[in-house]
Amino acid sequence: MFKKAIILMIISALAFALLNVFVKSLTQFNVYQIVFFRSIGSLIFTIPFLLHYKIPILGKKRFLLISRGVVGFIAMTLFFASLKYLSMGPAVSIRYISPIFAAIFALLLLKENIKYLQWLCFALAFSGVVILKGFDANINGIGLLFALLSAFFTGLVFIIIRKIGNSDHPMVVVNYFMIIAALFGGVLSFNEWTTPIGIEWVMLLSLGVFGYFGQYYMTKAIQLAEVNQVAPLKYIEVIFTMIIGAIWLDETYTLISLLGILLILIGLILNFVVKR
């Protein structure tokens, strides 16, 4: 079961990496339109799932579900926007510091304790961000800001999901997110809509497919094995994204940027180990 969980986690990381690469390559479309197609593509799976298993689509904790959708939309939009300014490696790595913000929110809002070693891990991860900004001339300031804000709002999403708890089925939570993101993305992209041509339709609609299966296989992997055994493997997404980006989009990385990314990943993985 453990080997199967590892395989599923790797497939999940690859799906998310392909999602990142496709978003990065679709520069001719505005970010809201990309969010719209990303959401519509996932709704093709979530709505039939809920209907098939007769799960109430509206859920129970509706205010929190709507809040999760709105905050999630903001986080996703900011991350996709950051990809227009940054290479994919730094953008994805910085987005992954969201557990730092989640821990701070948990401390302030849920009164949870944070171990001293966790603060050291957070400092190590954030030092990677500082190195990227302070010593890598290729890092765009606006892109860095978007990625950090995306991580901030993603951290808030974690807290909202914690508040929802087991009251609602996970697919209901995802479905709310996708519906709200599709609505906001569709409305905000209306004035700058670019009609896709040929293969662009496939690429845009595949965003939702990659996102759905990335989430699905990650969930299945966590169900098959202990969380502390497989969860750190999700950071393979960064490696996959950088490799595919280098091959497909000719992205290059300096030693300084690689050092910054490495520090971020080490800090996050150590935090996970300490927390467990």
Side-chain angles (χ1 to χ4, degrees), residues 56-65 166-168 172 176:
I57 292 179
L58 293 179
K60 298 176 182 177
K61 295 189 175 181
R62 296 172 189 174
F63 175 76
L64 288 174
L65 288 167
N166 296 322
S167 300
D168 287 294
V172 174
Y176 260 85

Side-chain angles (χ1 to χ4, degrees), residues 190-231:
F190 186 78
N191 290 331
E192 298 181 26
W193 183 269
T194 302
T195 303
I197 301 173
I199 193 66
E200 291 175 348
W201 282 104
V202 177
M203 293 180 69
L204 283 166
L205 289 172
S206 68
L207 298 178
V209 178
F210 289 135
Y212 174 81
F213 281 103
Q215 190 69 44
Y216 176 78
Y217 283 121
M218 181 175 67
T219 303
K220 292 292 290 183
I222 292 174
Q223 289 175 336
L224 290 173
E226 293 182 16
V227 176
N228 62 328
Q229 290 179 318
V230 296

Side-chain angles (χ1 to χ4, degrees), residues 11-29:
I11 294 174
S12 169
L14 181 59
F16 282 128
L18 288 170
L19 167 62
N20 299 332
V21 174
F22 273 42
V23 170
K24 179 71 173 178
S25 61
L26 291 167
T27 54
Q28 66 271 40
F29 299 97

Side-chain angles (χ1 to χ4, degrees), residues 42-269:
S42 288
L43 286 173
I44 295 172
F45 298 96
T46 59
I47 292 178
F49 180 95
L50 293 172
L51 293 175
H52 176 74
Y53 290 101
K54 298 180 181 179
I55 301 170
I57 292 179
L58 293 179
K60 298 176 182 177
K61 295 189 175 181
R62 296 172 189 174
F63 175 76
L64 288 174
L65 288 167
I66 293 172
S67 300
R68 186 268 181 266
V70 172
V71 176
F73 162 74
I74 295 171
M76 181 165 62
T77 302
L78 286 166
F79 173 63
F80 287 171
S82 73
L83 288 173
K84 291 184 176 293
Y85 296 92
L86 298 175
S87 297
M88 289 185 293
V92 176
S93 301
I94 293 169
R95 182 193 64 177
Y96 267 133
I97 68 171
S98 54
I100 298 177
F101 294 110
I104 294 172
F105 285 133
L107 175 67
L108 298 176
L109 302 177
L110 305 180
K111 307 304 179 183
E112 293 184 1
N113 293 323
I114 301 176
K115 298 176 182 178
Y116 291 115
L117 282 176
Q118 282 184 267
W119 287 114
L120 291 175
C121 296
F122 293 159
L124 181 63
F126 218 87
S127 70
V129 179
V130 173
I131 287 175
L132 284 173
K133 176 53 185 168
F135 299 96
D136 191 343
N138 296 325
I139 297 296
N140 180 281
I142 295 176
L144 179 67
L145 177 62
F146 284 158
L148 283 171
L149 287 174
S150 175
F152 175 87
F153 283 103
T154 301
L156 186 56
V157 165
F158 293 157
I159 301 302
I160 297 173
I161 291 176
R162 287 278 301 281
K163 296 290 288 184
I164 294 172
N166 296 322
S167 300
D168 287 294
H169 192 283
M171 196 62 74
V172 174
V173 181
V174 173
N175 195 59
Y176 260 85
F177 174 29
M178 292 296 100
I179 289 176
I180 290 172
L183 288 173
F184 278 106
V187 171
L188 293 172
S189 65
F190 186 78
N191 290 331
E192 298 181 26
W193 183 269
T194 302
T195 303
I197 301 173
I199 193 66
E200 291 175 348
W201 282 104
V202 177
M203 293 180 69
L204 283 166
L205 289 172
S206 68
L207 298 178
V209 178
F210 289 135
Y212 174 81
F213 281 103
Q215 190 69 44
Y216 176 78
Y217 283 121
M218 181 175 67
T219 303
K220 292 292 290 183
I222 292 174
Q223 289 175 336
L224 290 173
E226 293 182 16
V227 176
N228 62 328
Q229 290 179 318
V230 296
L233 291 173
K234 68 181 180 180
Y235 298 119
I236 296 176
E237 176 192 342
V238 178
I239 299 172
F240 282 156
T241 300
M242 292 173 66
I243 293 173
I244 298 172
I247 296 172
W248 191 339
L249 303 176
D250 295 323
E251 288 192 340
T252 57
Y253 297 93
T254 64
L255 289 176
I256 288 294
S257 64
L258 291 175
L259 175 61
I261 291 169
L262 183 63
L263 287 174
I264 292 172
L265 295 181
I266 291 175
L268 294 173
I269 292 172

